[in-house]
Amino acid sequence: MNITKKIISAHLMSGKLEDFKPGDEIALKMDQTITQDATGTMTYLQFEAMGIPKVKTDLSVSYVDHNTLQQDFRNPDDHQFLRTIAAKYGLVYSPAGLGICHQLHLENFAKPGATLIGADSHTPTAGGMGSLAMGAGGLSVALAMAGAAYKIPMPKVVKVELTGKLKGWASAKDVILALLKILTVKGGVGRVFEFTGEGVSSLSVPERACITNMGAELGATTSIFPSDERTKAFLKAQGREQDYKELKADANALYDESYTIELDKLVPMVACPHMPDKVKAVAELAGLKVDQVAIGSCTNSSFSDLSAVALIWKGKQVDRTTDTLVSPGSKQVLRLLARENLLDNIIDSGARILECACGPCIGMGGAPISKAVSVRTFNRNFEGRSGTKDASVYLVSPLVAAKLALDGKFSDPKTWGEAPKMLDFPDNPPSIRHLFIDPSKDDKERSKVEILRGPNIVALEVFDVLPQNMNAKVSIKLGDDITTDHIMPAGAAILPLRSNIPAISEYVFSKVDSDFVKRAKEFGTSVIVAGHNYGQGSSREHAALAPRHLGIRAVIAKSFARIHKANLANFGILALTFANPDDYDKIEQCSSLGFDFSPLFDKTKTHASLTVKLDNKEKLNLNLELSDNELEMVLAGGLLNQVRANKA
Ligand code: MIC
Ligand code: SF4
């Protein structure tokens, strides 16, 4: 067996591993859950609606790292709600400023062999530690906290063999950029990427975590590394040696697909605007002026990343026309930089040091100038995500970012001289564990906690069940690779509305088509039509919940991204694909669609397809992209209706 199957097998809540083939729905027990504030408020409102007194996982952590700007009452209202609800239901709470959820989880809680779901698409960061860690919608996380299984299609397991050792200016980021170049942003759907080979031991846990983090950009279910001596050393340094367990694939382990990456052949790479798979060699952009460099994010904000930056900047200043920002991934990283006398290099470089949080990665400040070339160590460069619509965002490693900040322009890495030696993770790193807020172990104490809700916390809406028949118009027709940032944008102006669905709904597709909301409201009930990979990117369930609030009952696409498809079902929206992909061309924005859903209500039959009448004439065949279980959910009007009905 490979590692993925070993962990799956140990966590199956029904059936045996050999009963399942790729694509079949499997039900997994989740050991740990995480949320962040932008997805957390909805998750906990949903958990509360389930009426369970205490989380049933081994560990659940509520992090605050996205909405840390407090321009008015809204974000602090959310933080207060999250702090009190964590105390009530038995979650560890990580207050704003402590760090980025995935970096903090890696340092403090992630365990080899454990399962983890997080209401954030970059949860696979913990795969660097050997956890089977997956991104999910908030409602799925709420269910897991209630002790229910997390249901996913059985993934294919892809072997990625690493040979040789990284050299020169190439680093872990270039491994995942190389994979993105080969596989594209849709290449990982339905797959787990499992790293093996002699190259593995040359990578530290934070370097591995950088790679598994950005596996999310492949659309992968998750990515995972073995747990070995490097893992043990990292856990030991963190004072968590007891969490170590060895994890390796059997010598004759089978895989569904395989790739080889020769680490010693990798050169520094860059993902060009506006997709993480538009990868070129850095040398190809030589001469391009760089207006901004932003270093940080859950992909590249570890001590290993920032110490390399500090070494490159030692005794030097960044180009004064290049706005340079650094966000450390956690207070441990910051304290380590200070202890190892590296923080001074960053301070003296002239770069700005921001809070230990997501910051510019999610458009929470740090927007670049108009028409900027912004070079970032982040994982997503979708158009407009930086906050500046006409900016061009390039994704690189911290080593490359640090060098470009000094020069103010791209150049050929062959001219850069010797690369800094990556430092080993230092012994006895300062612990910040005491800065988390642990829940009381006493049930009586917890039951007395009052959940505080400011006016930004708006109660959940109850959605109606799927009708037997539905006439709906197409409120928007879109192309391929539509991201959740297109559907439900983030940024400093919109993120504070995450706990208020009616308010945030006003921004659905606002950056794509400013008339969408008006049209959807006018149509009452409507349908979205899209190309391939609809809903790629984040796990934000608001990209399903807010459209549902606006009357969207179905999305017809050529294909879907995994997490978004599950989110659609969770909120009672039908995910459909074209039986004949050419039919995509027959449907226009504002076309009328006549659905007869009545056969779907016949529980004695299994359903895989549906016909729809287009403009009262031609019938089109559509495939249902739902498991039986998801179909039940959609018929009920969503997962929460089902949960409520079971309780009644
Ligand atoms: C992102 O990087 O897009 C986010 C913001 O972290 C999202 C979660 C969210 O939208 O709140 C993600 O990756 O899931
Ligand atoms: Fe935060 Fe950016 Fe990571 Fe999302 S991708 S969790 S916004 S740092």
Side-chain angles (χ1 to χ4, degrees):
M1 267 202 267
N2 51 52
I3 297 171
T4 309
K5 290 209 169 154
K6 286 185 188 185
I7 305 180
I8 289 179
S9 172
H11 288 84
L12 276 177
M13 283 177 84
S14 56
K16 289 205 197 70
L17 194 66
E18 47 278 19
D19 301 341
F20 303 104
K21 55 178 192 321
D24 291 349
E25 189 170 84
I26 54 171
L28 295 176
K29 179 188 175 304
M30 287 298 122
D31 300 327
Q32 302 186 340
T33 66
I34 60 171
T35 56
Q36 39 86 347
D37 48 319
T39 54
T41 50
M42 274 299 140
T43 309
Y44 298 111
L45 284 172
Q46 289 161 164
F47 179 76
E48 200 180 19
M50 293 176 188
I52 284 156
K54 191 182 175 204
V55 292
K56 294 192 175 163
T57 47
D58 297 348
L59 174 86
S60 289
V61 190
S62 171
Y63 293 94
V64 176
D65 54 1
H66 282 61
N67 285 336
T68 58
L69 281 186
Q70 298 175 198
Q71 301 127 297
D72 59 25
F73 65 94
R74 288 174 298 191
N75 291 341
D77 267 11
D78 285 2
H79 302 171
Q80 169 185 252
F81 169 72
L82 291 168
R83 178 173 48 76
T84 52
I85 206 158
K88 178 103 190 161
Y89 291 118
L91 290 101
V92 175
Y93 178 69
S94 169
L98 202 51
I100 304 175
C101 56
H102 307 302
Q103 176 66 26
L104 286 170
H105 204 73
L106 193 74
E107 291 168 359
N108 296 281
F109 304 109
K111 284 184 185 178
T115 49
L116 162 70
I117 56 167
D120 193 280
S121 63
H122 290 103
T123 304
T125 313
M129 175 74 84
S131 295
L132 191 76
M134 293 160 284
L139 190 45
S140 304
V141 176
L143 260 194
M145 290 193 293
Y150 179 46
K151 294 182 178 157
I152 52 161
M154 176 76 187
K156 287 185 177 166
V157 185
V158 182
K159 174 180 180 175
V160 185
E161 171 131 27
L162 302 179
T163 63
K165 255 190 189 171
L166 290 165
K167 59 172 208 255
W169 291 83
S171 64
K173 182 72 162 269
D174 300 306
V175 176
I176 187 65
L177 290 176
L179 273 170
L180 274 157
K181 185 172 183 174
I182 306 169
L183 291 163
T184 81
V185 290
K186 347 187 198 319
V189 178
R191 290 163 171 79
V192 172
F193 289 79
E194 186 171 312
F195 291 83
T196 67
E198 28 119 10
V200 165
S201 61
S202 68
L203 299 170
S204 65
V205 168
E207 289 175 299
R208 296 172 187 185
C210 160
I211 297 170
T212 60
N213 167 287
M214 223 177 147
E217 274 51 66
L218 295 166
T221 303
T222 190
S223 305
I224 191 165
F225 270 83
S227 167
D228 57 10
E229 287 305 312
R230 299 291 302 254
T231 322
K232 192 175 181 179
F234 183 80
L235 282 169
K236 189 166 174 222
Q238 296 290 1
R240 298 205 287 128
E241 205 178 351
Q242 73 282 4
D243 289 341
Y244 174 69
K245 111 173 185 206
E246 190 189 23
L247 264 186
K248 61 176 180 194
D250 295 334
N252 53 353
L254 297 175
Y255 293 87
D256 297 292
E257 292 163 12
S258 72
Y259 296 90
T260 301
I261 301 278
E262 296 172 289
L263 296 178
D264 41 359
K265 300 248 168 73
L266 288 180
V267 294
M269 316 245 224
V270 47
C272 299
H274 297 286
M275 272 300 147
D277 59 3
K278 297 206 159 150
V279 176
K280 290 186 178 167
V282 166
E284 289 178 64
L285 301 189
L288 183 66
K289 164 87 183 88
V290 174
D291 302 302
Q292 184 186 53
V293 168
I295 297 173
S297 90
C298 55
T299 314
N300 280 128
S301 59
S302 65
F303 174 74
S304 113
D305 292 323
L306 298 195
S307 57
V309 171
L311 291 174
I312 296 169
W313 287 350
K314 189 175 164 57
K316 298 188 175 130
Q317 277 197 12
V318 298
D319 184 280
R320 299 330 297 258
T321 65
T322 307
D323 173 33
T324 303
L325 316 164
V326 180
S327 328
S330 73
K331 282 197 172 164
Q332 182 185 67
V333 172
L334 194 55
R335 288 186 67 183
L336 266 175
L337 289 169
R339 195 190 77 183
E340 304 292 311
N341 294 325
L342 292 162
L343 190 57
D344 280 352
N345 297 2
I346 298 181
I347 296 173
D348 285 339
S349 72
R352 284 167 67 184
I353 302 176
L354 308 181
E355 194 176 20
C356 304
C358 299
C361 180
I362 195 57
M364 267 288 161
I369 57 168
S370 298
K371 299 199 169 74
V373 167
S374 173
V375 171
R376 301 175 159 220
T377 65
F378 307 164
N379 46 45
R380 294 189 172 141
N381 56 351
F382 305 145
E383 197 172 0
R385 184 172 155 112
S386 68
T388 301
K389 189 152 182 4
D390 57 11
S392 298
V393 175
Y394 295 79
L395 306 174
V396 299
S397 71
L399 271 69
V400 172
K403 179 70 172 104
L404 299 187
L406 291 179
D407 300 347
K409 61 174 185 330
F410 275 91
S411 55
D412 186 342
K414 280 201 205 92
T415 64
W416 293 357
E418 211 172 308
K421 192 180 161 325
M422 298 295 274
L423 297 183
D424 274 341
F425 195 74
D427 287 335
N428 305 318
S431 172
I432 55 161
R433 182 63 186 84
H434 59 291
L435 299 177
F436 289 83
I437 304 178
D438 285 339
S440 167
K441 291 201 173 70
D442 180 346
D443 288 351
K444 265 216 198 96
E445 277 301 305
R446 278 193 304 94
S447 69
K448 282 192 233 140
V449 174
E450 189 195 348
I451 301 170
L452 300 174
R453 298 163 218 264
N456 199 42
I457 311 290
V458 174
L460 296 176
E461 187 172 346
V462 177
F463 293 124
D464 53 355
V465 299
L466 192 76
Q468 303 259 340
N469 293 293
M470 179 178 100
N471 287 315
K473 280 192 171 177
V474 175
S475 44
I476 193 163
K477 183 174 176 187
L478 303 146
D480 289 347
D481 293 328
I482 291 297
T483 71
T484 53
D485 281 75
H486 290 112
I487 307 169
M488 187 72 265
I494 306 177
L495 272 177
L497 304 173
R498 284 288 181 94
S499 315
N500 183 342
I501 298 302
I504 205 168
S505 298
E506 296 295 321
Y507 294 89
V508 174
F509 287 121
S510 55
K511 306 249 162 101
V512 177
D513 177 348
S514 52
D515 289 333
F516 170 79
V517 173
K518 199 167 135 248
R519 209 163 43 240
K521 285 185 180 167
E522 197 182 297
F523 291 173
T525 302
S526 67
V527 170
I528 293 169
V529 172
H532 278 295
N533 203 22
Y534 180 73
Q536 68 151 325
S538 87
S539 68
R540 65 189 71 148
E541 62 190 352
H542 299 73
L545 190 45
R548 176 73 211 265
H549 173 81
L550 295 172
I552 303 295
R553 293 309 295 259
V555 179
I556 311 175
K558 290 185 185 165
S559 64
F560 290 88
R562 178 187 71 91
I563 306 176
H564 188 62
K565 190 164 68 147
N567 283 340
L568 290 173
N570 281 352
F571 294 102
I573 300 178
L574 271 169
L576 302 162
T577 49
F578 296 97
N580 173 5
D582 294 343
D583 286 349
Y584 168 86
D585 298 318
K586 294 184 182 158
I587 306 187
E588 302 294 339
Q589 188 161 300
C590 296
S591 291
S592 296
L593 299 173
F595 294 91
D596 175 9
F597 295 134
S598 52
L600 302 182
F601 288 83
D602 182 348
K603 291 199 176 141
T604 61
K605 299 208 176 89
T606 49
H607 304 278
S609 58
L610 202 69
T611 54
V612 62
K613 216 168 199 187
L614 172 62
D615 292 327
N616 255 326
K617 292 188 283 254
E618 190 180 357
K619 275 195 171 167
L620 307 181
N621 292 323
L622 302 174
N623 295 329
L624 274 179
E625 287 289 313
L626 302 167
S627 66
D628 292 349
N629 169 48
E630 286 173 328
L631 178 58
E632 287 290 308
M633 253 183 236
V634 174
L635 296 179
L639 175 56
L640 216 47
N641 283 356
Q642 258 187 330
V643 173
R644 286 193 184 106
N646 289 342
K647 256 188 14 196

